[in-house]
Amino acid sequence: MDEEQLVRFLQRKFSFPNGRGIGDDASAQRINPSATWGSRIVAKDLFVEGTHFNLHHYSLAQAAEKSVGANVSDMAAMGGRGMEIYLGLGVPSRARTSDLEAVFSGIHKACRRWRLRLGGGDVSKAPCWFFSVTILGHALRPVFRDRAQDGDLIGLVGRIGESALGLALLQRNTPDSFYTRRHIQVNLHLGAAEELGRVASAMIDVSDGLLKDLSRILSASQVGAEIHIENLPITRRMKACCRQHDLDAQQLALTGGEDYALLCCIPPQRLKLLKGNGERLRIIGRIRSSPQRLTCLLNGRTQEIPAGGYDHLSNNLSDSRESPEFDNPR
Amino acid sequence: MDEEQLVRFLQRKFSFPNGRGIGDDASAQRINPSATWGSRIVAKDLFVEGTHFNLHHYSLAQAAEKSVGANVSDMAAMGGRGMEIYLGLGVPSRARTSDLEAVFSGIHKACRRWRLRLGGGDVSKAPCWFFSVTILGHALRPVFRDRAQDGDLIGLVGRIGESALGLALLQRNTPDSFYTRRHIQVNLHLGAAEELGRVASAMIDVSDGLLKDLSRILSASQVGAEIHIENLPITRRMKACCRQHDLDAQQLALTGGEDYALLCCIPPQRLKLLKGNGERLRIIGRIRSSPQRLTCLLNGRTQEIPAGGYDHLSNNLSDSRESPEFDNPR
């Protein structure tokens, strides 16, 4: 069963409220129509040893911290702010006391960094380390994936492909400390998320690659898009590093995951409402009306989409990158 | 690191609100002081293949259903009612489409049975099946573990030891369909929980065994207790089945887990406030002032506590029954 099939199956089986179906970064519910503080947002992300991380690359504290960061990113991509987390922790029998201390040091660091409270959780023996984090928070104006419209500008805050480059270098045993850090640590853009949340028609965090995450917006909104590859934020440093290691910077930027950049769609007339963080926003393309058709342009000419990009959705569940989130939008 | 050490470590490291520390079935927060609907309750329980269940005994649908039931039980033991669940699902690479359909059939059945909504979740490849369920709900009057007082009656709703008997018979390859069902299925007492929630000073669900779960109340409330073993709800059928298989019914009742019976402490003067469900309540003992001292009496004479009971807390984390919950009470 691939991701789309699972989502369709779940949509048939469970009556997600308002018939909006599933597929956002998090779920959002209005708690109290008269309250001024909007909607409650809940997100849940798994981070499993052997699937999402291995301990040759991560310390336990780093893995624990990243498992929280990925959830904060999902919350931010909904225009929300996290308040507290609940941790389900799988512990292999080889674990020592110092390992548990390391895990909770990472959780503690994440809680301080992103101003979260550890609300509770559960610990169990398991065949591998895993982190199952549920984050609770709220948003004044939740932003979904299904409201992108023809003509919206496609914007990006943060760099893309650098986490994948860091991982590729780690896997080749030619680590580069800068890109290792880009892979191991979660760099979030919470200020930008807050500001973008007020104006964006749709938003998502780039956790599975630009093309894949953009395709989720297109699919949910029933629109198409064109991306101008020359506008992607690929640094000279990244280009040089990729050349040196015979890697394709453009492909990494289009398909690499776990950068936690923010990808949003903004009606052009709302662009002027952006203040400070508007500077950090790169316009990389535009939403088009042709349903779910994605065109990549380089200097005005159509560029072939690299392997591992837009077609990822047809891969099997056993591909680690295919882990579907089935959060629903209301 | 054993459970008590982990809890102490977490108490030092994380400032659980109001200094109430951790250790309840679920966490509870007043959302809005002016609201009439009390506190939001959140619980989280892991259910891991090889630790909590194996697929020789459970179908995937049954395991999925039980993983939700255990959370509903935690919610009920706080005097709360669950509203929605979030599911983190670990899927081994051997899984087929029909396995995923079975899992979500079990989740669907649980949602219908306990009137829950599936709010969202995440799916990931993992070395084994695991279910990480977070349940959100609310309570008019949350019931904690730390408010049992000298003189309170200790009451029990539901049977105990029958799930452990079912498991023992499965493990010996001499299954008994009645007790297998008692082990595989979660039988909750939600009506009783609602009524007891209004009068109890402390409450917990018997998920890790009567002595162990009672000891959690004693430890949190800094009190002791005496239990009258002749008052335990052990049926003739269970006694006969235990005799036949050379098992100790009394020990199973005192230490067997996963019955999801309700164990509560009630000030005697409040007993008369119980209506319908009062009939189902068995008084099995009384809270005493001597801190954390637990005496088991049989026909008035002190009974030695069977191995595997009260002293479980000193076991290692690697014992599956020792999985600590670190939910906090506020």
Side-chain angles (χ1 to χ4, degrees), chain A residues 17 27 46 86 117 119 125 132 328, chain B residues 17 27 86 117 119 122 132 328:
Chain A
S27 81
L46 294 171
Y86 290 80
R117 199 167 78 75
K125 194 173 70 166
S132 169
N328 73 304
Chain B
S27 81
Y86 290 80
R117 199 167 78 75
D122 193 13
S132 169
N328 73 304

Side-chain angles (χ1 to χ4, degrees), chain B residues 59-95:
Chain B
S59 72
L60 274 167
Q62 288 171 330
E65 191 184 346
K66 187 167 176 178
S67 75
V68 178
N71 277 274
V72 179
S73 180
D74 278 335
M75 180 68 58
M78 294 287 287
R81 173 176 292 191
M83 303 293 284
E84 55 178 3
I85 56 166
Y86 290 80
L87 172 67
L89 177 66
V91 181
S93 46
R94 63 183 142 91

Side-chain angles (χ1 to χ4, degrees), chain B residues 208 212 255 307-316 319 321-322:
Chain B
D208 290 333
K212 180 160 183 194
T255 65
Y310 192 55
D311 287 335
H312 255 195
L313 285 174
S314 61
N315 287 7
N316 194 280
D319 176 343
R321 275 293 171 60
E322 298 310 301

Side-chain angles (χ1 to χ4, degrees), chain A residues 1 6 9-10 13-14 16-17 27 29 31 37 40 42 44-46 48 51-52 84 86-89 91 97 100-101 104-105 107-108 111 117-128 130 132 134 136 317-318 323-328 330, chain B residues 1 6 9-10 13-14 16-17 27 29 31 37 40 42 44-46 48 51-52 84 86-89 91 97 100-101 104-105 107-108 111 117-128 130 132 134 136 317-318 323-328 330:
Chain A
M1 193 187 284
L6 177 58
F9 172 76
L10 290 173
K13 199 154 183 81
F14 294 89
F16 287 90
S27 81
Q29 297 102 24
I31 295 183
W37 52 287
R40 181 177 69 187
V42 184
K44 182 175 190 87
D45 241 16
L46 294 171
V48 180
T51 300
H52 300 93
E84 56 177 3
Y86 290 80
L87 171 67
L89 177 65
V91 181
T97 295
L100 278 177
E101 286 170 350
F104 284 102
S105 291
I107 298 292
H108 191 249
C111 285
R117 199 167 78 75
L118 177 64
D122 193 13
V123 177
S124 169
K125 194 173 70 166
C128 67
F130 70 78
S132 169
T134 307
L136 276 63
L317 182 67
S318 62
S323 308
E325 295 163 282
F326 52 93
D327 305 305
N328 73 304
R330 278 251 170 269
Chain B
M1 194 185 285
L6 177 58
F9 172 76
L10 290 172
K13 199 156 182 80
F14 294 89
F16 288 89
S27 81
Q29 298 102 26
I31 295 183
W37 52 288
R40 182 177 69 187
V42 184
K44 182 176 189 85
D45 240 16
L46 295 171
V48 180
T51 300
H52 300 94
E84 55 178 3
Y86 290 80
L87 172 67
L89 177 66
V91 181
T97 295
L100 278 177
E101 287 170 350
F104 284 102
S105 292
I107 298 291
H108 192 250
C111 285
R117 199 167 78 75
L118 177 64
D122 193 13
V123 177
S124 168
K125 194 172 71 166
C128 67
F130 69 78
S132 169
T134 307
L136 275 64
L317 183 67
S318 62
S323 308
E325 293 164 284
F326 53 93
D327 305 304
N328 73 304
R330 278 251 170 270

Side-chain angles (χ1 to χ4, degrees), chain A residues 49 55 60 91-97 99 125-129, chain B residues 318:
Chain A
E49 183 186 359
L55 293 173
L60 275 168
V91 181
S93 47
R94 63 182 141 91
R96 299 177 195 179
T97 295
D99 293 331
K125 194 173 70 166
C128 67
W129 289 99
Chain B
S318 62

Side-chain angles (χ1 to χ4, degrees), chain A residues 24-68:
Chain A
D24 261 282
D25 294 288
S27 81
Q29 297 102 24
R30 280 196 96 77
I31 295 183
N32 183 346
S34 65
T36 52
W37 52 287
S39 296
R40 181 177 69 187
I41 312 284
V42 184
K44 182 175 190 87
D45 241 16
L46 294 171
F47 202 56
V48 180
E49 183 186 359
T51 300
H52 300 93
F53 69 96
N54 81 60
L55 293 173
H56 298 300
H57 301 158
Y58 288 78
S59 72
L60 275 168
Q62 287 170 331
E65 191 185 346
K66 186 166 176 177
S67 75
V68 177

Side-chain angles (χ1 to χ4, degrees), chain B residues 137-149:
Chain B
H138 56 81
L140 272 170
R141 174 187 181 270
V143 187
F144 302 108
R145 291 181 189 175
D146 64 352
R147 294 178 183 180
Q149 293 223 332

